[in-house]
């Protein structure tokens, strides 16, 4: 297992060399993350240094694991002596399983201290999204919404109008038009699977609305056999049959699709709220697409579907604290996620903060468009591969790729989800 430490203090070096004295840190806080944006990590290192300077007895170590390695290694890490004190969380069912295992430290008492001074800096929705059985299990960090980003020059070359893509049929027509112009319509991350599950999840929401998703998540009988879910599978298969992705998409791992988009090898990518900024770090030339050449549009609606155009899909991310972490780790998190620090992170990284007063840091126009979409959202769904827990979430990812490449039918995909859900209830 390789964990990359992205920040090493003088105190940590002194401790490693066995040098005694004031230079050695009294308390070390290990913070495990998946952030691959070098600007974000550089700012985190700066913030950690500021906190260390104000708290001489503390040493903050930022530790990185690549996204898929993080998911694979974290369960065993949490049950070992090498567990980090703080780690990045997507919330949902995975976070719930982690707290049920006893791996996490509840945060309610400290958040509610001083009349709830810390808790009240967040919206009720952000707190509720990371709470189970009346306790808070992660500190809200950021929120977001998945949307399409497109290369304006390639759209113009093919004669595609982004503003005209309002329905699913409009999107399919745009994909065909881009193909006819000799362009790759979409860059896809088939090896990791989760980038494609965005399509299936959005289509379930667009077809069945919040009712279909809430029924599935609540364990309602035969919820995954809902015609809206079967229809979503048909639509994923329909898009896959157009062969919209780059060559070798089945072996492409995130963030490789970002690199494809940054280098102009695909006209569209369905990505996170900061995709226009994040693509720069994956570009061959280190610059990527010019910001003025990138547009954004919301995932289209399905004609006749129960879902509204304003319903959004994306993340609510937080920082969880492990059971044996020191109080200093929680104190650091309170400082790290305070309005001023969140504002600085929003300015630098393009994230959408969750702390009141930090929203002024959202200056990028495309990120602000995502923030506005979230502000007007009537229903927001967290990533299904996280919200449904590891087993059912992994099955969603698996069947999405199988639908895409035609190796399963929409009916069989829905039945596989239903069978997995029933096994989890036994």
């Amino acid at each position: 297992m390789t964990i990359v430490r992205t920040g090493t203090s003088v105190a940590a070096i002194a401790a490693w060399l066995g040098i005694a004295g004031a230079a050695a840190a009294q308390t070390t806080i290990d913070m495990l993350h998946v952030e691959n944006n070098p600007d974000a990590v550089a700012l985190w290192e700066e913030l950690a240094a500021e906190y260390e300077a104000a708290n001489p007895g503390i040493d903050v170590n930022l530790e990185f694991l690549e996204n898929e390695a993080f998911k694979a290694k974290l369960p065993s890490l949490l049950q070992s002596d090498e567990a980090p004190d703080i780690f990045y969380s997507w919330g949902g069912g995975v976070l719930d399983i982690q707290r049920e295992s006893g791996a996490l430290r509840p945060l309610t008492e400290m958040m509610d201290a001083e009349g709830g001074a810390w808790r009240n800096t967040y919206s009720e929705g952000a707190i509720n999204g990371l709470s189970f059985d009346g306790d808070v299990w992660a500190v809200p960090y950021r929120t977001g919404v998945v949307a399409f980003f497109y290369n304006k020059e390639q759209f113009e070359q093919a004669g595609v109008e982004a503003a005209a893509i309002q329905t699913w049929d409009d999107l399919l027509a745009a994909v065909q038009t881009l193909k006819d112009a000799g362009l790759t319509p979409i860059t896809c991350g088939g090896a990791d699977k989760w980038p494609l599950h965005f399509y299936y999840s959005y289509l379930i929401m667009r077809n069945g609305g919040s009712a279909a998703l809430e029924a599935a998540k609540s364990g309602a009988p035969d919820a995954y056999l809902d015609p809206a879910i079967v229809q979503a599978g048909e639509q994923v298969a329909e898009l896959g049959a157009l062969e919209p992705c780059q060559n070798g998409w089945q072996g492409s791992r995130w963030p490789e699709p970002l690199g494809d988009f940054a280098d102009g090898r695909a006209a569209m990518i369905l990505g996170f709220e900061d995709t226009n900024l994040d693509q720069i770090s994956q570009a061959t030339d280190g610059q990527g697409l010019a910001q003025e050449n990138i547009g954004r549009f919301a995932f289209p609606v399905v004609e006749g579907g129960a879902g509204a155009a304003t319903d959004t899909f994306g993340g609510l991310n937080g920082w969880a604290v492990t059971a044996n972490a020191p109080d200093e780790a929680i104190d650091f998190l309170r400082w790290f996620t305070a309005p001023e620090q969140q504002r600085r992170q929003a300015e630098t990284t393009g994230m959408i903060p969750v702390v009141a007063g930090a929203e002024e840091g959202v200056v990028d126009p495309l990120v602000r468009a995502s923030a506005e979409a979230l502000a007007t959202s009537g229903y927001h769904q967290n990533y299904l591969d996280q919200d449904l827990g590891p087993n059912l979430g992994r099955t969603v990812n698996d069947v999405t790729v199988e639908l895409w490449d035609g190796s399963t039918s929409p009916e069989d995909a829905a039945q596989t989800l239903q069978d997995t859900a029933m096994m989890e209830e036994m």
Side-chain angles (χ1 to χ4, degrees):
M1 172 174 54
T2 299
I3 296 180
V4 179
R5 298 205 170 198
T6 56
T8 305
S9 69
V10 172
I13 294 172
W16 178 69
L17 292 174
I19 300 173
Q26 297 172 7
T27 301
T28 299
I29 300 170
D30 293 322
M31 186 173 185
L32 184 62
H33 66 90
V34 297
E35 182 60 66
N36 56 27
N37 182 334
D39 292 335
V41 175
L43 177 60
W44 289 0
E45 290 176 349
E46 181 181 328
L47 292 173
E50 291 177 13
Y51 185 82
E52 289 172 344
N55 299 270
I58 304 296
D59 174 29
V60 179
N61 287 323
L62 301 179
E63 303 176 342
F64 170 80
L65 273 177
E66 182 274 331
N67 194 303
E68 292 307 302
F70 178 95
K71 294 176 182 177
K73 303 291 186 182
L74 185 62
S76 58
L77 274 177
L78 292 180
Q79 301 302 321
S80 75
D81 293 336
E82 297 181 12
D85 299 302
I86 300 167
F87 67 91
Y88 188 80
S89 174
W90 289 275
V94 174
L95 180 67
D96 193 20
I97 289 173
Q98 290 164 346
R99 66 101 186 176
E100 286 184 336
S101 74
L104 304 186
R105 180 171 173 175
L107 305 172
T108 312
E109 183 177 350
M110 295 189 75
M111 280 198 161
D112 287 346
E114 302 171 355
W118 186 12
R119 174 193 286 264
N120 293 336
T121 61
Y122 307 102
S123 69
E124 184 178 356
I127 290 290
N128 290 342
L130 298 170
S131 298
F132 302 95
D133 290 343
D135 274 320
V136 184
W137 295 93
V139 178
Y141 166 55
R142 64 184 294 173
T143 187
V145 59
V146 170
F148 278 103
F149 292 81
Y150 67 95
N151 184 317
K152 291 181 180 178
E153 291 179 357
Q154 292 192 6
F155 266 43
E156 183 177 359
Q157 177 184 339
V160 174
E161 291 286 343
I165 303 177
Q166 299 292 322
T167 69
W168 180 249
D169 289 341
D170 293 335
L171 178 66
L172 296 179
V175 165
Q176 188 60 59
T177 300
L178 289 162
K179 281 181 65 82
D180 292 344
L183 299 168
T184 298
I186 304 172
T187 177
C188 309
D192 287 336
K193 301 182 181 180
W194 60 260
L196 293 182
H197 110 284
F198 293 169
Y199 290 86
Y200 197 21
S201 302
Y202 247 130
L203 285 165
I204 291 171
M205 185 165 62
R206 292 293 191 250
N207 283 294
S210 61
L213 285 165
E214 293 304 318
K217 290 188 291 183
S218 69
D222 294 334
Y224 289 95
L225 304 182
D226 188 313
I229 295 180
V230 175
Q231 184 176 354
E234 292 171 352
Q235 290 158 335
V236 171
E238 187 177 22
L239 176 58
L242 293 178
E243 299 183 349
C245 304
Q246 77 277 20
N247 290 333
W249 65 271
Q250 299 95 329
S252 181
R253 293 192 176 279
W254 198 268
E256 291 170 7
L258 272 177
D260 291 331
F261 185 68
D263 290 344
R265 293 191 294 270
M268 287 185 284
I269 182 172
L270 184 60
F272 306 106
E273 60 281 350
D274 57 352
T275 289
N276 61 304
L277 302 175
D278 208 16
Q279 54 94 26
I280 296 171
S281 66
Q282 303 303 317
T284 301
D285 63 3
Q287 298 180 14
L289 294 183
Q291 294 300 304
E292 60 268 22
N293 188 31
I294 302 176
R296 175 194 180 279
F297 62 91
F299 196 93
V301 299
V302 171
E303 289 186 290
T310 54
D311 291 345
T312 51
F313 172 82
L316 171 61
N317 306 118
W319 295 106
V321 179
T322 52
N324 295 322
D327 289 346
E328 290 85 349
I330 300 177
D331 182 73
F332 170 71
L333 271 185
R334 179 170 183 171
W335 180 86
F336 185 74
T337 60
E340 175 59 19
Q341 281 65 258
Q342 283 246 305
R343 182 189 61 77
R344 291 166 63 185
Q345 291 178 68
E347 289 176 346
T348 300
T349 69
M351 77 171 197
I352 301 175
V354 293
V355 174
E359 63 277 358
E360 65 184 41
V362 182
V363 295
D364 180 85
L366 293 183
V367 178
R368 185 167 288 278
S370 291
E372 291 169 353
L374 286 163
T376 59
S377 175
Y379 177 79
H380 184 73
Q381 171 59 50
N382 195 6
Y383 306 119
L384 282 186
D385 63 341
Q386 295 295 316
D387 210 17
L388 297 178
N391 293 330
L392 189 51
R394 183 168 53 250
T395 303
V396 170
N397 291 345
D398 289 343
V399 300
T400 300
V401 175
E402 292 167 2
L403 286 164
W404 198 284
D405 66 18
S407 59
T408 193
S409 70
E411 294 79 10
D412 286 347
Q415 188 63 59
T416 298
L417 293 175
Q418 184 61 43
D419 292 345
T420 305
M422 290 178 64
M423 287 181 63
E424 290 197 339
E425 293 175 4
M426 294 176 61

